[in-house]
Amino acid sequence: DAKTTQPPSMDCAEGRAANLPCNHSTISGNEYVYWYRQIHSQGPQYIIHGLKNNETNEMASLIITEDRKSSTLILPHATLRDTAVYYCIVRANAGGTSYGKLTFGQGTILTVHP
Amino acid sequence: GAGVSQSPSNKVTEKGKDVELRCDPISGHTALYWYRQSLGQGLEFLIYFQGNSAPDKSGLPSDRFSAERTGGSVSTLTIQRTQQEDSAVYLCASSRSIQVGTEAFFGQGTRLTVV
């Protein structure tokens, strides 16, 4: 019960923006949206998280819809090294079954090609 | 240390033997997580520890699996009477706490092969 739905795979041209969607229609009011990625043969790496406002850091931007039922991770200028599996996760700040642990779904395999 | 360290990096064991996997979290991190990832699959939560609280063991697949964390630092995941379906990469992660806003840092994992 990962509580999120992502497309299994996406392609992106190097240098272009990669927009990775995630549906979380059953998200609760106290649940945050997290994104991690896993490059082949490595452990997952944190990217970004948010509650309801859009967020930006040095790696990516996170756009969360007003009803919070979906979000989009944006890699503004994808490089070949961004090829990875991207996981969208919902996680509660306190209480509830998702408190504390990160529950990973199948994620989206993003392939960045030259 | 600079990151989460796991040992061994690879382990091959015979079916029926017990194995111990070790995780050294980042110094000062109070939360520690264990996950496993079978070939071509996503990450499966096993257990997490937070400070002195009782661990959340809800993801352990059977009573052959157990984990402990001594002194709030190093953790050991033990699998008794290993089976072939236990073959996977076992990943450990740590974070400053389990509160939102604290990212989890993952180790490189231990690849367990049961033959």
Side-chain angles (χ1 to χ4, degrees):
Chain A
D1 57 342
K3 300 185 67 173
T4 63
T5 304
Q6 299 177 253
S9 64
M10 294 184 64
D11 286 342
C12 179
E14 188 177 20
R16 304 293 279 253
N19 298 285
L20 294 110
C22 180
N23 286 321
H24 30 80
S25 58
T26 61
I27 193 169
S28 301
N30 67 342
E31 288 183 318
Y32 286 65
V33 180
Y34 276 74
W35 284 84
Y36 278 75
R37 74 179 182 184
Q38 187 173 25
I39 296 171
H40 183 62
S41 298
Q42 297 183 20
Q45 175 191 24
Y46 166 84
I47 301 173
I48 200 168
H49 77 278
L51 180 62
K52 55 183 178 181
N53 297 323
N54 298 337
E55 303 288 345
T56 296
N57 62 21
E58 65 278 5
M59 289 184 68
S61 294
L62 175 60
I63 308 299
I64 302 174
T65 58
E66 191 170 346
D67 63 7
R68 303 207 324 120
K69 295 189 176 191
S70 65
S71 61
T72 301
L73 178 75
I74 301 172
L75 307 178
H77 306 287
T79 71
L80 299 179
R81 289 177 297 178
D82 292 323
T83 293
V85 181
Y86 286 77
Y87 296 99
C88 170
I89 300 162
V90 295
R91 181 186 178 196
N93 186 30
T97 57
S98 68
Y99 180 52
K101 61 191 179 190
L102 296 165
T103 302
F104 290 80
Q106 294 301 306
T108 296
I109 301 172
L110 175 69
T111 303
V112 181
H113 52 84
Chain B
V4 177
S5 177
Q6 292 187 246
S7 60
S9 55
N10 283 282
K11 175 73 176 179
V12 179
T13 190
E14 293 181 351
K15 178 181 173 180
K17 294 288 181 73
D18 298 351
V19 294
E20 287 189 351
L21 312 180
R22 177 185 170 104
C23 174
D24 285 89
I26 293 172
S27 178
H29 281 195
T30 61
L32 186 148
Y33 312 78
W34 282 99
Y35 288 81
R36 74 175 175 181
Q37 188 168 32
S38 301
L39 187 63
Q41 301 297 309
L43 280 81
E44 176 187 4
F45 167 77
L46 297 178
I47 185 171
Y48 82 80
F49 300 86
Q50 166 57 33
N52 295 321
S53 302
D56 180 341
K57 304 179 182 181
S58 60
L60 294 178
S62 77
D63 59 7
R64 297 187 295 106
F65 288 72
S66 63
E68 63 177 21
R69 189 178 185 192
T70 53
S73 181
V74 173
S75 177
T76 302
L77 177 69
T78 301
I79 308 173
Q80 295 178 311
R81 305 180 302 281
T82 52
Q83 304 294 313
Q84 288 185 329
E85 60 263 29
D86 299 334
S87 295
V89 176
Y90 289 80
L91 290 156
C92 175
S94 72
S95 63
R96 283 187 286 112
S97 78
I98 58 173
Q99 294 295 319
V100 168
T102 57
E103 61 184 278
F105 294 85
F106 283 80
Q108 293 299 301
T110 294
R111 181 175 299 278
L112 175 67
T113 304
V114 182
V115 298

